[in-house]
Amino acid sequence: MQNILFVSHCVLNTASKVVLYDKDEMEAEEALRRRFLQEAVLKGVQIIQLPCPEFTLYGARRWGHVSTQFDNPFFREHCRRLLEPIYLEIEEYLSHGERFCILGVLGIDGSPSCGVDYTGVGKWGGSFGGREDLQETLDSACMVQKRGVLMDVLEQGLKERGFAGRIPVIGLNAREPEKCMSLLRDLAKEE
């Protein structure tokens, strides 16, 4: 049986991420990411990378965003288009249950796109120049219990196709490392 895991783009390619300036947060997430990937590889898990809707729209020099900026029909449609081939892959793997087991989807908590349990929100928008309320706008950003936009669209698509409940969606979160590691817990190491 081949164990398959779908992962947010930046789990395998951190070069696609927005530059983080909180060194402690960045180091903790990186340590958990490496630990998770090492364990997955040791256990022979096949890893499929999801597309990054932020990178494909805004590239590598984008500013950090909050999910409230992305929660619009245009960004959601972009996510649906990117996920269409993923749904087909999932369907094909599920149709061969004697050969394949989909362990789940691993997102990145805190991401405006790939957050599973937590995402950033805020009253962001507009130009930085000449604003008298810039600090108030920056201070409005906070983490809330909510899905990022890509993960929300993914879950809706899984439900529409009858896959909901068959594929767990878990977030990588350095403050809750046991959650993502649970995807690998019951797997024996590959000999």
Side-chain angles (χ1 to χ4, degrees):
M1 177 80 64
Q2 292 283 318
N3 292 305
I4 296 168
L5 180 67
F6 291 83
V7 299
S8 289
H9 189 88
C10 60
V11 170
L12 296 176
N13 176 22
T14 59
S16 67
K17 291 180 73 93
V18 167
V19 176
L20 294 176
Y21 292 98
D22 183 328
K23 186 177 178 187
D24 292 337
E25 181 182 333
M26 188 173 62
E27 288 174 356
E29 182 180 290
E30 178 62 10
L32 179 58
R33 183 187 75 82
R34 286 178 183 223
R35 180 176 147 216
F36 181 88
L37 288 173
Q38 287 171 346
E39 187 75 16
V41 169
L42 281 173
K43 292 184 174 186
V45 174
Q46 305 304 306
I47 300 171
I48 299 172
Q49 185 179 38
L50 296 174
C52 176
E54 296 173 47
F55 192 85
T56 57
L57 277 180
Y58 303 113
R61 297 187 318 161
R62 67 190 183 278
W63 290 103
H65 291 83
V66 291
S67 65
T68 43
Q69 288 174 291
F70 294 151
D71 196 1
N72 64 68
F74 306 105
F75 192 82
R76 285 182 171 274
E77 181 59 28
H78 179 63
C79 291
R80 277 190 282 280
R81 279 193 309 272
L82 291 175
L83 289 170
E84 198 56 46
I86 300 300
Y87 297 133
L88 295 174
E89 283 187 65
I90 290 170
E91 182 178 356
E92 180 64 10
Y93 286 124
L94 288 176
S95 72
H96 297 284
E98 75 285 355
R99 290 179 54 203
F100 306 109
C101 174
I102 297 178
L103 299 175
V105 175
L106 180 65
I108 299 286
D109 275 337
S111 165
S113 293
C114 292
V116 175
D117 294 315
Y118 304 97
T119 190
V121 297
K123 298 175 183 175
W124 290 31
S127 149
F128 288 119
R131 291 185 67 163
E132 294 180 17
D133 66 340
L134 182 56
Q135 191 57 52
E136 181 183 322
T137 300
L138 294 173
D139 291 342
S140 75
C142 63
M143 202 65 61
V144 297
Q145 275 195 296
K146 183 180 171 184
R147 292 208 187 284
V149 176
L150 179 75
M151 288 297 145
D152 190 52
V153 170
L154 174 73
E155 289 260 278
Q156 289 172 1
L158 292 174
K159 285 178 189 170
E160 289 167 6
R161 289 159 180 81
F163 305 149
R166 296 172 69 184
I167 302 170
V169 180
I170 306 281
L172 186 142
N173 184 333
R175 293 186 180 126
E176 300 172 337
E178 67 287 345
K179 285 169 59 177
C180 70
M181 297 308 290
S182 72
L183 287 169
L184 307 174
R185 185 173 300 126
D186 298 328
L187 300 177
K189 289 193 178 189
E190 194 173 71
E191 299 302 324

